Amino acid sequence: MMQYHHLRRNKVLLLFILFSAALPSITSAYANNNNNNEAKPKPLMRAWMCSGKTQRDMVDKLAQAGIVKSAINKEALLRVDRKNYVLQTQQGDSAHQDSPLPIGYGQTISAPHMHAQVLEDLLPPLLAASKDRPDKLLKILDVGCGSGYLTAVFGRMVESKENRRKSTPLNEGKVFGIDVVPELVHMSKTNVMKEDGDLLDSGTAEFMLRDGWKGYPENAPYNAIHVGAAAATFPKQLMMQLAPGGVMVVPVGPDGGIQYLYRVE
């Protein structure tokens, strides 16, 4: 079971309750500190129901379900085929199932609806930073990059404007994918080279071996930080690497127990 907390530098503002994978939907409860007894769950999104036979089919269903809301995120997801980031034995219909899949070394690639929700959470600070400083490169840190999928999607969002299929207000930028498992760093690079190798060639995306909980302070601060693995305790070092106005999304909690998905500003 996972619960979603919205923090402003450690202050809880609102709470999303995420039910287990066995349920056909995810709901949210907006908890007001003064009206906790009156808060009622509201439908947030249809989850685990967005499987497709192709990348476009899957992304279209995510959009129809209201999970993918932004045209920017939809275009980025369409550009990066999930089949290139799963194991070879999963590259049939299962590649576009709306469920997590093992990628080896005890890790998984998250369900598409979870990736889509992360993109929607992290797009606003990227748009705000682009508006405030249109001449400044955006920087995104993907902690626990796994098979490289979400790093590549972020890369499509901030790639060179001349390479974008559709004009967007986002600045150009750079994405840093880090992982503590050497084999996964290698896997990420190999996967990106299949159809998204231009992201590496242009320097838009970069993968490296790092202790994720320490982040990558050499290139901080970041406009957005995504953490793909649950932290046993809140990763304060990562929070300190956020740029003013930046947002971090991170799950916190014991393996196999209740985990809380924090959105930190």
Side-chain angles (χ1 to χ4, degrees), residues 77 84 101 107 119-120 134 140 160 172 182 192 237 241 263:
L77 286 166
N84 292 323
L101 294 172
Q107 303 301 314
L119 293 174
E120 292 296 329
I140 302 171
S160 169
E172 296 178 6
V192 169
Q237 289 188 60
Q241 293 174 37
R263 183 179 188 273

Side-chain angles (χ1 to χ4, degrees), residues 21-146:
L23 297 181
S25 66
I26 289 180
T27 62
S28 67
Y30 293 81
N32 184 307
N33 289 335
N34 296 322
N35 293 302
N36 285 332
N37 294 330
E38 299 177 8
K40 296 180 179 180
K42 300 179 181 179
L44 176 62
M45 61 188 182
R46 296 291 295 175
W48 311 96
M49 304 286 285
C50 299
S51 298
K53 293 185 177 181
T54 65
Q55 183 74 11
R56 177 169 289 277
D57 188 22
M58 181 188 75
V59 174
D60 283 345
K61 288 182 178 179
L62 289 168
Q64 292 166 9
I67 304 171
V68 174
K69 302 179 179 68
S70 165
I72 294 175
N73 288 337
K74 183 176 181 180
E75 178 63 20
L77 286 166
L78 287 172
R79 293 282 305 279
V80 183
D81 198 327
R82 192 172 185 251
K83 73 177 182 181
N84 292 323
Y85 296 86
V86 299
L87 299 180
Q88 189 171 2
T89 56
Q90 302 164 341
Q91 290 179 359
D93 289 345
S94 62
H96 302 107
Q97 287 182 358
D98 191 15
S99 62
L101 294 172
I103 57 173
Y105 311 100
Q107 303 301 314
T108 62
I109 179 173
S110 296
H113 74 266
M114 291 301 295
H115 278 155
Q117 185 62 46
V118 166
L119 293 174
E120 292 296 329
D121 282 338
L122 295 181
L123 180 59
L126 298 176
L127 288 170
S130 298
K131 183 178 180 180
D132 293 342
R133 293 288 302 275
D135 59 334
K136 189 173 183 179
L137 287 176
L138 296 171
K139 288 192 289 185
I140 302 171
L141 182 64
D142 187 17
V143 178
C145 58

Side-chain angles (χ1 to χ4, degrees), residues 107 110 143-145 179 213 226-232 235 238 249-253 259:
Q107 303 301 314
S110 296
V143 178
C145 58
D179 207 292
W213 306 129
H226 164 254
V227 183
L238 286 177
V249 175
V250 53
V252 179
Q259 295 178 352

Side-chain angles (χ1 to χ4, degrees), residues 13 24 33 35 84 94 98 104 150 153 177 237 239 258 262 265:
L13 298 181
N33 289 335
N35 293 302
N84 292 323
S94 62
D98 191 15
L150 200 58
V153 176
Q237 289 188 60
M239 185 181 73
I258 294 178
Y262 287 90
E265 296 180 357

